[in-house]
Short mmCIF file of all heavy atoms in Angstrom, two decimals:
data_model
loop_
_atom_site.label_atom_id
_atom_site.label_comp_id
_atom_site.label_asym_id
_atom_site.label_seq_id
_atom_site.Cartn_x
_atom_site.Cartn_y
_atom_site.Cartn_z
N ASP A 21 -4.64 2.30 -17.85
CA ASP A 21 -6.03 2.17 -18.06
C ASP A 21 -6.75 1.55 -16.90
O ASP A 21 -7.67 0.75 -17.03
CB ASP A 21 -6.18 1.23 -19.31
CG ASP A 21 -7.05 1.95 -20.32
OD1 ASP A 21 -7.47 3.07 -20.07
OD2 ASP A 21 -7.37 1.24 -21.29
N LEU A 82 -6.58 -0.28 6.80
CA LEU A 82 -6.86 -0.02 5.36
C LEU A 82 -6.01 -0.92 4.45
O LEU A 82 -6.56 -1.48 3.53
CB LEU A 82 -6.52 1.46 4.96
CG LEU A 82 -7.46 2.49 5.60
CD1 LEU A 82 -6.93 3.89 5.44
CD2 LEU A 82 -8.82 2.44 5.00
N GLY A 86 -7.34 -4.14 1.84
CA GLY A 86 -7.02 -4.28 0.36
C GLY A 86 -6.82 -2.88 -0.33
O GLY A 86 -6.81 -2.81 -1.54
N VAL A 107 -17.34 25.86 -0.79
CA VAL A 107 -18.34 25.15 -1.64
C VAL A 107 -19.57 24.91 -0.69
O VAL A 107 -19.56 24.06 0.26
CB VAL A 107 -17.85 23.80 -2.25
CG1 VAL A 107 -18.94 23.10 -3.03
CG2 VAL A 107 -16.62 24.01 -3.09
N SER A 138 -9.02 16.89 -6.80
CA SER A 138 -7.65 16.70 -6.74
C SER A 138 -7.35 15.22 -7.23
O SER A 138 -6.33 14.97 -7.97
CB SER A 138 -7.05 16.68 -5.30
OG SER A 138 -7.36 17.96 -4.76
N GLU A 148 -23.85 5.43 4.21
CA GLU A 148 -25.12 5.98 4.19
C GLU A 148 -25.47 6.48 5.60
O GLU A 148 -26.53 7.08 5.85
CB GLU A 148 -26.23 4.97 3.77
CG GLU A 148 -26.21 4.71 2.25
CD GLU A 148 -27.28 3.80 1.81
OE1 GLU A 148 -27.96 3.20 2.76
OE2 GLU A 148 -27.49 3.58 0.59
N THR A 175 -25.24 1.45 5.92
CA THR A 175 -24.63 1.50 7.23
C THR A 175 -24.22 0.21 7.73
O THR A 175 -24.96 -0.76 7.74
CB THR A 175 -25.62 2.23 8.19
OG1 THR A 175 -26.01 3.48 7.66
CG2 THR A 175 -25.05 2.39 9.59
N GLY A 197 -23.86 1.00 26.16
CA GLY A 197 -25.05 0.19 26.44
C GLY A 197 -26.29 0.88 26.10
O GLY A 197 -27.30 0.31 25.55
N ALA A 201 -30.38 2.32 22.13
CA ALA A 201 -31.81 2.80 22.12
C ALA A 201 -32.02 3.66 20.78
O ALA A 201 -33.18 3.79 20.34
CB ALA A 201 -32.09 3.74 23.35
N VAL A 233 -34.94 9.66 25.53
CA VAL A 233 -34.73 10.31 26.76
C VAL A 233 -34.72 9.36 27.94
O VAL A 233 -33.87 9.38 28.78
CB VAL A 233 -35.82 11.46 26.93
CG1 VAL A 233 -35.65 12.09 28.32
CG2 VAL A 233 -35.64 12.48 25.77
N GLU A 281 -39.83 1.71 3.99
CA GLU A 281 -40.19 1.10 2.72
C GLU A 281 -41.60 1.54 2.32
O GLU A 281 -42.56 1.17 2.95
CB GLU A 281 -40.11 -0.43 2.78
CG GLU A 281 -38.71 -0.92 3.20
CD GLU A 281 -37.79 -1.24 1.98
OE1 GLU A 281 -38.19 -0.90 0.84
OE2 GLU A 281 -36.71 -1.79 2.23
#
Side-chain angles (χ1 to χ4, degrees):
D21 235 1
L82 289 171
V107 177
S138 305
E148 287 185 352
T175 305
V233 174
E281 304 267 8

